[in-house]
Every structure is written in C-alpha cells, then in structure tokens.
Amino acid sequence: MEEYAREPCPWRIVDDCGGAFTMGAIGGAVFQSIKGFRNAPSGMNKRLLGSMMAIKQRSPIIAGNFAIWGGMFSTIDCTLVHFRKKEDPWNSIISGAATGGILAARNGVPAMAGSAIIGGVLLALIEGVGILFTRLSAEQFKPPQLVVDDPSQLGPPQGNPS
Amino acid sequence: MIDLRGDSADSAPIPNSRKKESTHSLATSPGLSQLNPYFNYDPVYFPPSQPEFIFPEGAVKQRGRFELAFSQIGAACIIGAGLGGANGFYKGLKATTLAGEVGKLRRTQMINHVMKNGSSLANTFGVVTLMYSGFGVILSWARGTDDSINTVAAATATGMLFKSTAGLKRCAVGGGIGLGIAAAYCLWNSRDAFSEITHHRMNPA
C-alpha cells in the first residue's frame, strides 16, 4: 500500500474533507448497522433489513457532518499557516476551536462557546498525544555512538610478520 | 585518486552540465575526502542508467488509487455542496418570494434551503465517489494492475450498489449509467490511441 503523506496546503482542504468523509461513512455505517439491528422489530430478516435501512439513511449524513468538520478545520488551518507563517500545534488547536464555534453558529452564542471549547480541548489532546508519541519514538532513532577506527594510529606498516 | 576522466568521458554518454557540476562540486573539493572516504570519488563514473528510487513502491507510473481516493472524495463532496447550495439558494429564493416572507424569517428560510440542498447533494456525491474509490482500490489491489478495465468495472459496481435497494430493474439501470459514464471517460482518456489507429488506417504508407 502506498504511503499516505499529507498534501501541500491548498489541496489539503480537499484531501482532509475526503478523509473525514470516508472516516464518517465507515464509522457511521458500523454504528448505524448496530443501532438499526437493535431497534428493528424481532426476526432475523427484519433486523438485517432495519440495519441496512439505518445504514442507507443515516450514514451519509454522519459522513457529511464529518466532511464539513474536516473541510472547515483544514481551511482554517491553512489560513492560519498562511498568516502566521508557521505550522505548529497551536494552529490545530485554534482551528479546532474555531471550527467547533463556527459550525454551532446557528444554535446561539452559548452553544458556540461550548462547541469551541470542546473542539479546542479535543484537538489539544490529539496534538498532545502526537507530541508524546513523537518524543517516545524519537528515542529509538538516536544514532549510536560511532567509533571510527583510525588506521593512522597504528603507525606505518612493519613488514611481513612470518 | 586515479584519473580515468579522459576515456570515461568518451565512452559514457553523460550530459555536459552534469559532468561539469559533479567534477566541481564533490571530488575536487579538498576537505570532503578527509571527512569521509566515500566522498573521494567522482559520481560521473557511475552514470545512472535507470531512474533511482529509495523505495521500490515509488516506481509506479502514476499515483495509486488509494492515494487519490481521499482527494477525489473530498472534491466530489465540495462540488456537490457547491452545486446543491446554489440549487438550494435558487429554490429558497423562489419559495420565500412565493410565500411572501421578508426580513429575518426569509433569511432563516434561505439558510435552511441552502444547507439542506447543499448537504444532501454533497452526501450523494461523496457516497458515490466513496463507493467508486473503494471498488477501484479493491480491484486494482486484486488484479495487480491499474487500467481502464478497473475504472469501468468499479463504476458499474458503484452504480449497481448505489441503486441496490431500489429494486432489480433500477439497480441494473444504475449499473448501466455507471458503465456508460466510465466508458465515455475511458474513451475520452485514450482518444490519442484511437486517433493514431484511424490515422494509420487512412494512409498506410
């Protein structure tokens, strides 16, 4: 499988949107299949049918919500990269909070504040865990102390030992 | 260092710029050979006869389907949101004018229309592209190659899966639509090959 590396900035928005959509669609399909199975009337056929109906009806909506979150997050992230001229964890945290706030804009100011706090804390946790893992995995990449044998300290060759 | 430069320059077809650059950069700078014995050669003696890749996976001609999948899904989503939003704007404008709504009420209704239409079309487009990408990745992984047959088969399967809950006939229609779009795309993509064939047939010189 090919290596999945991140795209450069303007295209990252499209890429993140698609990744979030995929994640939401797959996760939503799993979640909704269980929910539909449990909520359906009894009988195996009906349960499977209910599961499928739930997947068909609900998982695109969940995927769409994920996609708009990812796309908005990435857009703000790229805007911050453009204006701050650097990429660091603060970008992600700020854009997570801003995304949460903007997407709750129609529910009033208290909901916006709550969503913004949740988004910021979530992204701070993700970034913190990422930094932690980088620190931990950096240990094993430390180059070992290389001792280079220098033949010059042996002196000139002393002829043939017989 | 042995000087092979004279006869090597005649035999190996090396571009002039490369030769000049390499002789000036590494081999003749005095400090580097003391740092590391491997710096003590002129790379001009090892002309690259084939493209060099760090990992063998990088040797494919184009990017794989998995690499492109997320971009394609995202692009489909965004295009769907744009088209659906525009359609919703138009519909909302018409509906609110018809209902005679003004001010705050009209604004809210407009936003509702745009959001609803935009998200529904974005979801549809995204799901279709997600199915297509999934089928494409599975097919190219299973067959080991990536060609037009994959595209056509993935599009047909996508159409059939998307309409699979609407009955057998509509499922077939969906598959046919997918097949048609994919076939048209493949023909358009390989029009150069076809034009070459017809060209050869025209004047068999």
Side-chain angles (χ1 to χ4, degrees):
Chain A
M1 195 57 79
E2 293 98 340
E3 169 103 357
Y4 174 58
R6 291 191 86 186
E7 301 270 326
C9 216
W11 309 112
R12 188 185 295 173
I13 300 168
V14 178
D15 214 84
D16 280 3
C17 188
F21 189 91
T22 310
M23 208 155 59
I26 293 169
V30 171
F31 186 74
Q32 291 296 332
S33 70
I34 296 168
K35 205 174 153 191
F37 193 84
R38 286 168 59 92
N39 283 346
S42 63
M44 204 59 197
N45 259 345
K46 278 179 186 166
R47 285 199 182 277
L48 286 179
L49 202 71
S51 175
M52 217 167 74
M53 286 301 284
I55 292 175
K56 195 184 122 189
Q57 284 170 350
R58 290 290 307 170
S59 75
I61 297 171
I62 296 173
N65 288 345
F66 267 69
I68 200 168
W69 222 95
M72 181 68 80
F73 174 82
S74 208
T75 309
I76 298 172
D77 199 32
C78 278
T79 314
L80 285 174
V81 167
H82 181 78
F83 282 115
R84 292 182 65 215
K85 303 278 182 231
K86 55 182 172 182
E87 291 192 51
D88 58 1
W90 286 111
N91 272 355
S92 295
I93 296 168
I94 293 168
S95 39
T99 305
I102 290 170
L103 291 185
R106 295 193 73 190
N107 300 338
V109 175
M112 275 176 82
S115 287
I117 290 167
I118 290 173
V121 168
L122 210 65
L123 263 296
L125 281 177
I126 292 170
E127 288 293 327
V129 170
I131 291 169
L132 197 71
F133 269 101
T134 314
R135 285 272 167 82
L136 288 179
S137 61
E139 289 291 320
Q140 61 179 326
F141 288 114
K142 266 189 183 169
Q145 284 295 318
L146 253 174
V147 183
V148 181
D149 295 328
D150 189 5
S152 67
Q153 66 185 345
L154 294 173
Q158 310 251 322
N160 241 359
S162 51
Chain B
M1 185 176 162
I2 315 155
D3 192 34
L4 294 164
R5 205 160 298 160
D7 42 64
S8 129
D10 294 342
S11 59
I14 303 153
N16 218 6
S17 60
R18 187 189 161 81
K19 200 168 28 177
K20 193 176 284 175
E21 176 224 323
S22 59
T23 44
H24 278 290
S25 61
L26 278 179
T28 52
S29 52
L32 283 175
S33 61
Q34 286 168 8
L35 283 176
N36 188 336
Y38 295 109
F39 281 140
N40 196 15
Y41 78 94
D42 196 333
V44 98
Y45 300 127
F46 301 96
S49 57
Q50 58 194 13
E52 291 166 339
F53 298 103
I54 295 174
F55 297 114
E57 296 96 57
V60 289
K61 259 178 257 159
Q62 60 174 35
R63 294 206 285 176
R65 278 185 190 262
F66 185 71
E67 277 176 290
L68 289 171
F70 289 152
S71 305
Q72 284 169 345
I73 294 166
C77 265
I78 291 170
I79 290 168
L83 288 178
N87 188 26
F89 188 80
Y90 176 70
K91 269 187 188 168
L93 215 59
K94 229 165 61 175
T96 48
T97 314
L98 211 65
E101 290 160 344
V102 284
K104 214 171 179 178
L105 181 61
R106 183 175 196 182
R107 199 185 65 209
T108 311
Q109 280 292 78
M110 289 293 295
I111 293 173
N112 281 343
H113 268 100
V114 170
M115 293 293 250
K116 203 175 167 202
N117 281 282
S119 69
S120 84
L121 200 62
N123 287 345
T124 309
F125 274 34
V127 165
V128 167
T129 319
L130 177 62
M131 286 173 181
Y132 169 74
S133 296
F135 280 122
V137 168
I138 291 170
L139 277 173
S140 64
W141 173 74
R143 292 185 60 228
T145 55
D146 198 5
D147 51 11
S148 301
I149 296 170
N150 279 356
T151 308
V152 173
T156 311
T158 301
M160 287 174 78
L161 179 64
F162 189 69
K163 282 288 169 196
S164 61
T165 50
L168 212 61
K169 196 181 160 195
R170 296 183 71 178
C171 175
V173 169
I177 289 170
L179 181 71
I181 292 172
Y185 171 76
C186 287
L187 287 179
W188 175 254
N189 243 7
S190 53
R191 63 192 183 281
D192 292 339
F194 280 106
S195 77
E196 214 154 83
I197 290 168
T198 49
H199 185 74
H200 277 297
R201 198 174 292 155
M202 290 284 237
N203 44 354

Short mmCIF file of all heavy atoms in Angstrom, two decimals, chain A residues 147-154:
data_model
loop_
_atom_site.label_atom_id
_atom_site.label_comp_id
_atom_site.label_asym_id
_atom_site.label_seq_id
_atom_site.Cartn_x
_atom_site.Cartn_y
_atom_site.Cartn_z
N VAL A 147 32.21 4.66 16.76
CA VAL A 147 33.65 4.71 16.97
C VAL A 147 34.32 4.37 15.64
O VAL A 147 34.21 3.25 15.14
CB VAL A 147 34.09 3.72 18.06
CG1 VAL A 147 35.57 3.85 18.32
CG2 VAL A 147 33.29 3.96 19.32
N VAL A 148 34.96 5.36 15.08
CA VAL A 148 35.61 5.13 13.79
C VAL A 148 37.04 4.69 14.05
O VAL A 148 37.80 5.36 14.76
CB VAL A 148 35.59 6.42 12.95
CG1 VAL A 148 36.23 6.17 11.60
CG2 VAL A 148 34.16 6.89 12.77
N ASP A 149 37.37 3.55 13.53
CA ASP A 149 38.75 3.07 13.69
C ASP A 149 39.66 3.86 12.77
O ASP A 149 39.44 3.92 11.57
CB ASP A 149 38.82 1.58 13.32
CG ASP A 149 38.01 0.75 14.29
OD1 ASP A 149 37.93 1.15 15.46
OD2 ASP A 149 37.45 -0.28 13.89
N ASP A 150 40.61 4.46 13.37
CA ASP A 150 41.55 5.26 12.60
C ASP A 150 42.83 4.45 12.39
O ASP A 150 43.57 4.18 13.36
CB ASP A 150 41.85 6.56 13.36
CG ASP A 150 42.64 7.52 12.49
OD1 ASP A 150 42.84 7.19 11.30
OD2 ASP A 150 43.05 8.56 13.02
N PRO A 151 43.11 4.00 11.21
CA PRO A 151 44.29 3.16 11.00
C PRO A 151 45.61 3.93 11.15
O PRO A 151 46.67 3.31 11.31
CB PRO A 151 44.12 2.63 9.58
CG PRO A 151 43.22 3.62 8.94
CD PRO A 151 42.34 4.19 10.00
N SER A 152 45.53 5.28 11.18
CA SER A 152 46.79 6.02 11.20
C SER A 152 47.51 5.86 12.54
O SER A 152 48.72 6.03 12.62
CB SER A 152 46.51 7.49 10.92
OG SER A 152 45.80 8.03 12.01
N GLN A 153 46.74 5.52 13.63
CA GLN A 153 47.39 5.42 14.94
C GLN A 153 48.22 4.14 15.07
O GLN A 153 48.93 3.95 16.05
CB GLN A 153 46.35 5.49 16.04
CG GLN A 153 45.41 4.30 16.06
CD GLN A 153 44.33 4.46 17.07
OE1 GLN A 153 44.42 5.30 17.93
NE2 GLN A 153 43.31 3.64 16.98
N LEU A 154 48.08 3.23 14.11
CA LEU A 154 48.87 2.01 14.16
C LEU A 154 50.31 2.24 13.70
O LEU A 154 51.16 1.39 13.87
CB LEU A 154 48.24 0.93 13.28
CG LEU A 154 46.87 0.42 13.75
CD1 LEU A 154 46.30 -0.50 12.71
CD2 LEU A 154 47.01 -0.29 15.08
#
